[in-house]
Amino acid sequence: MNYTESSPLTESTAIDFTPELESIIPVPSNETTCQNWREIHHLVFHVANIFFTIGLVIPTTLHLHMILLRGMLTIGCTLYIVWATLYRCALDIMIWNSVFLGVNILHLSYLLYKKRPVKIEKELSGIYRRLFEPLRVPPDLFKRLTGQFCMIQTLKKGQTYAAEDKTSVDDRLSILLKGKMKVSYRGHFLHNIYPCAFIDSPEFRSTQMHKGEKFQVTIIADDNCRFLCWSRERLTYFLESEPFLYEIFRYLIGKDITNKLYSLNDPTLNDKKAKKLEHQLSLCTQISMLEMRNSIASSSDSDDGLHQFLRGTSSISSLHVPSPHQRGSTKMKPIEEGVEDDDEVFEPVSPNALKVHQLP
């Protein structure tokens, strides 16, 4: 019988190559099972995922929600990079998390830039605190309003801001920063203008951007004055692009006109009294004041309206009835008798105040 006897060398060689052949032969993916779980990853990996979880569960109602979210994601990505580099030696994980880290840092920097404290000029801080801050106008929006198309101008005592029937109302809108101005009509003193008040709000409201209108009153500096002056046309275009600020201006100008009409009732009204009146305006009183302002605006060719107004305004709760002999002026449209709705601007009208002023 013929047989081949295997040598010990051959057997040992075959045994040595068997594990290598098994490792070369690929195992089908559908046959892989997690029979032997790998060891738990390093603590850095788990801490990174904890930061991711914290960032995702931050409530959106929180004021700094987006900043905290981006901060947590930034820390998590950083820890992932440390884990992939030092403990996993995985280049692809490190690269992808580096990209995520860069994106989050850029977004976080942008959010922090938007939250930076905006410094308002000292000369304008009084206007902001008095007029705009109570109505929740952000400092950055106020700075945009006052930093692009306006300037601060000066008038010495006795100089004229506007001359009756001469100065155009189309050019500007101004707020007094410092000093005092007095307003007169045909030589008759009407009222004073104090700091943080609009100088030409009635003209701004009544003309509605019609060209060629003239002031019907004379405004003279009673002290050395400084005022903030906007280009009227550019301000109008800017407010059209900012609806929130447009409503704020609409309210502030309406309230300023009402305060001026109160001061027409009481020529001794000073700045402190005007501040108190800002919170005591009732619906009927506002209507009364606007009607009285119309009587002045519609009597530019006759002194009857002025004399009747000065005689009949001793009580702020009485309604002024215009004379049937007054004739309307063709130079300026009267102010629309629309009343600013304080409900839209955080201060509801007291029902007790409405009961005091009853129409006959």
Side-chain angles (χ1 to χ4, degrees):
M1 180 181 294
N2 296 327
Y3 64 94
T4 304
E5 184 177 357
S6 61
S7 65
L9 180 60
T10 307
E11 292 179 357
S12 62
T13 305
I15 293 173
D16 291 339
F17 277 98
T18 300
E20 295 180 7
L21 291 174
E22 290 177 357
S23 63
I24 294 175
I25 299 174
V27 181
S29 59
N30 58 356
E31 295 181 4
T32 58
T33 57
C34 296
Q35 296 178 357
N36 297 320
W37 291 88
R38 293 190 177 186
E39 61 181 7
I40 297 176
H41 290 297
H42 194 272
L43 179 63
V44 176
F45 174 82
H46 300 288
V47 174
N49 283 282
I50 290 174
F51 278 101
F52 287 145
T53 305
I54 294 174
L56 294 174
V57 299
I58 295 175
T60 56
T61 54
L62 198 62
H63 180 60
L64 300 176
H65 160 256
M66 287 303 298
I67 292 179
L68 294 176
L69 171 61
R70 291 295 171 176
M72 294 296 104
L73 294 180
T74 299
I75 296 174
C77 289
T78 303
L79 293 176
Y80 252 30
I81 294 173
V82 173
W83 168 75
T85 304
L86 300 181
Y87 303 102
R88 188 66 178 174
C89 298
L91 182 62
D92 53 348
I93 297 178
M94 184 193 70
I95 292 176
W96 275 112
N97 281 277
S98 298
V99 174
F100 298 152
L101 178 63
V103 172
N104 281 286
I105 288 177
L106 289 176
H107 198 176
L108 180 61
S109 302
Y110 171 72
L111 294 175
L112 292 175
Y113 175 77
K114 288 181 64 177
K115 291 293 183 180
R116 75 192 188 283
V118 178
K119 186 177 181 180
I120 298 175
E121 296 180 22
K122 185 177 180 180
E123 198 167 16
L124 302 179
S125 59
I127 290 180
Y128 178 71
R129 289 195 303 268
R130 173 85 177 272
L131 300 179
F132 293 91
E133 188 177 25
L135 301 180
R136 302 176 186 178
V137 176
D140 57 337
L141 184 58
F142 176 76
K143 195 166 185 178
R144 287 177 55 201
L145 173 68
T146 58
Q148 294 182 358
F149 41 84
C150 66
M151 62 184 68
I152 296 177
Q153 298 182 356
T154 303
L155 280 181
K156 293 183 179 180
K157 183 176 181 180
Q159 289 185 328
T160 301
Y161 174 85
E164 183 179 339
D165 295 329
K166 295 181 180 180
T167 306
S168 172
V169 303
D170 300 331
D171 299 332
R172 57 188 174 176
L173 174 68
S174 305
I175 296 181
L176 186 62
L177 299 176
K178 181 182 178 182
K180 184 177 73 172
M181 292 184 174
K182 64 179 181 180
V183 182
S184 60
Y185 174 74
R186 295 192 175 183
H188 298 276
F189 171 77
L190 296 180
H191 61 84
N192 290 318
I193 301 175
Y194 295 96
C196 297
F198 286 91
I199 299 176
D200 41 10
S201 54
E203 288 73 21
F204 182 85
R205 184 67 177 270
S206 62
T207 56
Q208 298 294 325
M209 290 297 291
H210 289 286
K211 302 296 182 181
E213 305 291 350
K214 304 295 182 182
F215 275 87
Q216 295 183 7
V217 294
T218 299
I219 305 175
I220 300 176
D222 204 27
D223 263 328
N224 292 332
C225 299
R226 289 177 65 83
F227 56 92
L228 181 68
C229 180
W230 283 280
S231 166
R232 178 168 179 166
E233 185 174 2
R234 296 183 65 182
L235 175 63
T236 302
Y237 290 143
F238 177 76
L239 294 180
E240 288 177 356
S241 64
E242 295 287 347
F244 171 70
L245 204 56
Y246 170 81
E247 293 299 329
I248 295 295
F249 256 79
R250 181 173 175 268
Y251 170 77
L252 289 176
I253 289 176
K255 187 172 70 172
D256 185 80
I257 293 173
T258 307
N259 288 339
K260 284 179 170 55
L261 295 171
Y262 262 103
S263 62
L264 287 174
N265 266 350
D266 184 6
T268 65
L269 186 68
N270 57 23
D271 191 32
K272 293 182 179 179
K273 291 182 181 179
K275 291 179 183 178
K276 294 181 181 179
L277 285 175
E278 288 180 4
H279 304 286
Q280 300 174 356
L281 303 180
S282 67
L283 180 63
C284 292
T285 308
Q286 291 185 43
I287 295 176
S288 173
M289 296 299 106
L290 290 175
E291 287 183 349
M292 291 174 352
R293 178 67 174 89
N294 282 338
S295 70
I296 296 295
S298 61
S299 59
S300 60
D301 298 325
S302 173
D303 289 337
D304 294 341
L306 177 63
H307 294 320
Q308 183 178 8
F309 169 73
L310 296 175
R311 289 197 308 268
T313 56
S314 58
S315 173
I316 64 174
S317 62
S318 63
L319 289 174
H320 175 76
V321 180
S323 171
H325 302 289
Q326 294 176 356
R327 38 194 190 92
S329 171
T330 59
K331 296 183 180 179
M332 182 178 291
K333 294 183 179 180
I335 301 173
E336 296 180 0
E337 296 185 5
V339 181
E340 302 295 337
D341 188 2
D342 283 357
D343 292 336
E344 298 177 358
V345 200
F346 321 115
E347 290 188 9
V349 179
S350 172
N352 295 329
L354 293 176
K355 294 179 181 179
V356 176
H357 308 282
Q358 296 291 338
L359 294 174

